[in-house]
Amino acid sequence: MSKRLRLLISALMVAALSVPQATALADVPPGTALDDPIPERPTASGLSLTLREIAAFPKSEPIPAPTDQRLMRWARINNIGEIPDGTRRQFVNDLNGKLYLLKNGQPETYLDVAATFAPDFVSGRGLGAGFGYVAFHPQFAKNGKFYTVHTEWGAALTSKTPDLTPQTDTRFHGVITEWTAANPKADTFSGTHREVLRLGFNGQVHGVQQIDFNPTAHPGDPDYGLLYVASGDGGRGSSTSEPQNLATPQGKLLRIDPAGTNSANGRYGVPSGNPFVGKPGAIGEIYAYGMRDPHRFSWDPMTRELYLGHIGEHAIEAVYEVRSGDNLGWSEREGAFEFRKDDRCHLYTLPADDAQFGYTYPVAAYDHDPPPGHSCTADSGHAIAGGFVYRGLRLPLLFGKYVFGDIVDGRVFFTLAAQMRQERLPQRATIYEPKLFDSTGKQVTMRDLAGDTRVDLRFSRDGAGELYLLSKANGKIWKITDARMGPR
């Protein structure tokens, strides 16, 4: 028996023997205030991961100069991906405005988004503000099209108008742009661009976090070429019911067809398969709703399930398996708990009649566990960094695991994707915490590698399914190059 086959069998045995976490509060009466909503902690794992540094990015500056020092990072790199044209070229976006290509481990500017939209471009207001994400069309090699989302000033600082219902006192706009490269093979952009969709937000947080195409969809599939848009609640969900309002785009996962024209502004299409098309009082762009900060989403390449890392308000960092029409419950629910706007210090066990509301609950979750004496209204320094199910070929012991972590403290976690199914609820998948090692074999934490207590962690995946970790603290990227069980 080959070593590779033995490792694969070992991974399958681990998956088979693992038991998902039961809801520890099943016997607590409905409507009970909770100080520790998720008592169970991530489980220490015998799995260890090796991280090899592959790139470091130049220092960048927010525009305008920020008042929040959390925005003062070395480089606010937000994602590394692979252009879907067979060239294996990797791209990286910096929230402060530039889109890079990696050449022999060195970043080279492909496009300066900030300069293109100056002076309207904003990256120095709010943790997610700036050039947030880029999504290359699956047929980029032929059509040269890719899409970006960035932040612009709203309110009195612009005459531009959001396309869908904006929030009251809109101060910031999230703008999706289509770019068409004259030569898709070129390493520097030259071409044209057009605005696709503009959304209006009251606050400087929880805007448009991610845009992406479903990489598991193929020509002929209903989902092929449709662009998903993670639109946050603009910071207003804790005081309003906007995420539950199907007439507005905030607090929703949207799905649009950038090649279509049947939208209200005529610059994109509303897919006929979207769940609320034709529903009175609802906008057809909505795919799922009831969200606070839908930060990162990804698809399992094998099962095609869509997983969303959702940042909580009071205590719950959660992963959802999202299906068409799902309601994640915010701001009536935070995770699998009742959220009450008049009590910012507790979550509550679900009411006895909860089933009638049809909310979708997390398939994995952890809470903040603040230290003794910490104010219940203060930021405890936790936020989930959504990740990816590993289906690559190089690391058999990682196969079938959803790898994710915490943005702030940089802890890395994983679950078994087979446990993350809505059908298994109310049981949640067990969360494990692997050990981390650098390329010299030294055990480390992400804080060690980032050189900062605030890591600003992100996860990414390349075309072969291999996984990467990014830190804004020092603008570096690491690749997971080894996964093994037992002592080193």
Side-chain angles (χ1 to χ4, degrees), residues 21-22 54 58 67 112 120 148 182 204 210 213 261 265 272 274 296 338 365 379 407 413 436-438 449 467:
Q21 293 173 340
I54 67 161
T67 55
D112 191 335
D120 297 326
T148 62
Q204 62 186 19
Q210 179 181 351
F213 294 97
T261 59
N265 69 6
S272 61
N274 280 3
R296 289 291 183 272
E338 183 182 3
D379 184 356
I407 289 173
F413 306 121
L436 304 180
F437 291 82
D438 66 17
L449 295 178
L467 301 183

Side-chain angles (χ1 to χ4, degrees), residues 119-137:
D120 297 326
F121 179 88
V122 182
S123 66
R125 295 291 183 271
L127 291 173
F131 170 26
Y133 221 83
V134 58
F136 283 80
H137 193 279

Side-chain angles (χ1 to χ4, degrees), residues 147-200:
Y147 299 82
T148 62
V149 61
H150 72 276
T151 309
E152 293 187 5
W153 297 108
L157 298 177
T158 183
S159 60
K160 300 173 184 176
T161 305
D163 296 302
L164 301 174
T165 302
Q167 292 181 323
T168 302
D169 188 23
T170 291
R171 296 187 295 152
F172 299 92
H173 291 172
V175 184
I176 298 174
T177 303
E178 177 186 84
W179 308 77
T180 303
N183 178 10
K185 296 180 180 180
D187 289 337
T188 302
F189 176 78
S190 176
T192 60
H193 67 274
R194 70 178 183 95
E195 187 171 307
V196 175
L197 174 63
R198 178 178 292 262
L199 302 178

Side-chain angles (χ1 to χ4, degrees), residues 28-37 338 340 343 345-349:
V28 179
T32 301
L34 301 171
D35 292 316
D36 187 8
E338 183 182 3
R340 299 182 182 178
D343 184 355
C345 291
H346 299 92
L347 295 175
Y348 292 77
T349 51

Side-chain angles (χ1 to χ4, degrees), residues 52-58 75 77-83 85 87-94 98-111 134 136 185-189 460-463 466-471 475-479:
R52 177 173 61 86
E53 182 182 323
I54 67 161
F57 285 76
I77 53 175
N78 219 27
N79 182 45
I80 177 173
E82 187 174 307
I83 297 177
D85 62 356
T87 64
R88 302 301 303 272
R89 290 182 296 172
Q90 291 181 294
F91 61 85
V92 178
N93 72 292
D94 184 323
K98 287 189 176 181
L99 176 58
Y100 297 98
L101 295 185
L102 276 183
K103 297 188 68 176
N104 300 318
Q106 298 299 313
E108 297 186 2
T109 301
Y110 178 75
L111 170 67
V134 58
F136 283 80
K185 296 180 180 180
D187 289 337
T188 302
F189 176 78
S460 295
R461 177 173 59 191
D462 65 20
E466 303 305 323
L467 301 183
Y468 299 78
L469 286 73
L470 301 79
S471 171
K476 291 185 176 182
I477 299 178
W478 299 265
K479 182 177 182 179

